[in-house]
Amino acid sequence: EKTEYEPRIISAVLAALVKRDVYDVVILGKQSIDDDCNQTGQLLAGRLEWPQATFASKVDIAADKKSAQVTREVDGGLETIGISLPAVITCDLRLNQPRYLKLPNIVAAKKKPIEDLPIANVPNDGDLQNKLEIVKVEAPSKRAGGKTVADVDQLIDKLRNEGQVIL
């Protein structure tokens, strides 16, 4: 049976693994495709008490490996911030530059063992039960067609009388 876990639980499991194996940078996608929450990275950073950079489109690790410059996408364009390491970085799709692997590298990767670690065996705070419940999912109601107005006065009149936007 497939279980979908909430970002809270995923972040707890990842935090336990990061503490167990000791990493300097954890890179995650900014959002998952199943629930689009955009929470796991931020929750992980909070659990680890690490700095975080979100929506990264470019990451430059300093030569001393103690800090990073992260370019991130914001509403007004791009913003570059500095963070100390260890840190959690959530990435935007522009961070990835796909590369073509050579056949020997693919074969070598297939030979590497993959640890199968049941979630129950991961050290955690004891709370691995989902708390969110989906009560109802439905399509939004159909929107009424738009109306064309001749001028600003007519627009204001419609907003005031029909839309009840302007009182």
Side-chain angles (χ1 to χ4, degrees):
E1 175 184 324
K2 181 182 175 189
T3 303
E4 292 187 20
Y5 293 102
E6 299 168 5
R8 177 183 59 79
I9 296 170
I10 295 168
S11 68
V13 170
L14 289 174
L17 294 173
V18 169
K19 289 175 184 175
R20 181 191 81 175
D21 296 340
V22 187
Y23 296 95
D24 292 324
V25 178
V26 177
I27 299 177
L28 302 161
K30 71 175 181 179
Q31 295 166 274
S32 62
I33 60 170
D34 52 359
D35 56 18
D36 211 28
C37 279
N38 188 18
Q39 296 176 346
T40 305
Q42 291 86 334
L43 289 168
L44 177 61
R47 286 181 184 278
L48 296 171
E49 297 181 356
W50 286 6
Q52 64 177 311
T54 56
F55 313 119
S57 59
K58 182 178 179 187
V59 177
D60 292 314
I61 306 290
D64 65 1
K65 297 191 180 348
K66 293 184 178 184
S67 65
Q69 292 289 314
V70 178
T71 302
R72 57 189 303 267
E73 298 202 7
V74 294
D75 289 339
L78 298 175
E79 171 184 58
T80 300
I81 60 172
I83 57 171
S84 59
L85 299 181
V88 174
I89 299 173
T90 64
C91 59
D92 185 81
L93 62 93
R94 286 161 223 24
L95 182 64
N96 183 29
Q97 293 295 327
R99 63 183 193 270
Y100 298 100
L101 299 175
K102 295 179 178 156
L103 184 59
N105 293 344
I106 294 171
V107 172
K110 285 184 177 183
K111 290 180 181 178
K112 292 197 181 229
I114 296 175
E115 181 181 9
D116 184 8
L117 188 61
I119 196 167
N121 295 354
V122 176
N124 60 75
D125 59 9
D127 186 13
L128 296 179
Q129 298 299 313
N130 285 331
K131 295 185 188 260
L132 299 177
E133 176 186 354
I134 297 174
V135 177
K136 185 178 180 182
V137 177
E138 61 184 40
S141 59
K142 206 151 182 118
R143 292 178 54 178
K147 296 179 181 177
T148 304
V149 294
D151 53 31
V152 174
D153 291 334
Q154 188 179 10
L155 173 64
I156 291 172
D157 181 62
K158 288 196 177 289
L159 289 173
R160 180 175 287 133
N161 298 319
E162 292 178 26
Q164 298 179 345
V165 175
I166 300 174
L167 301 175

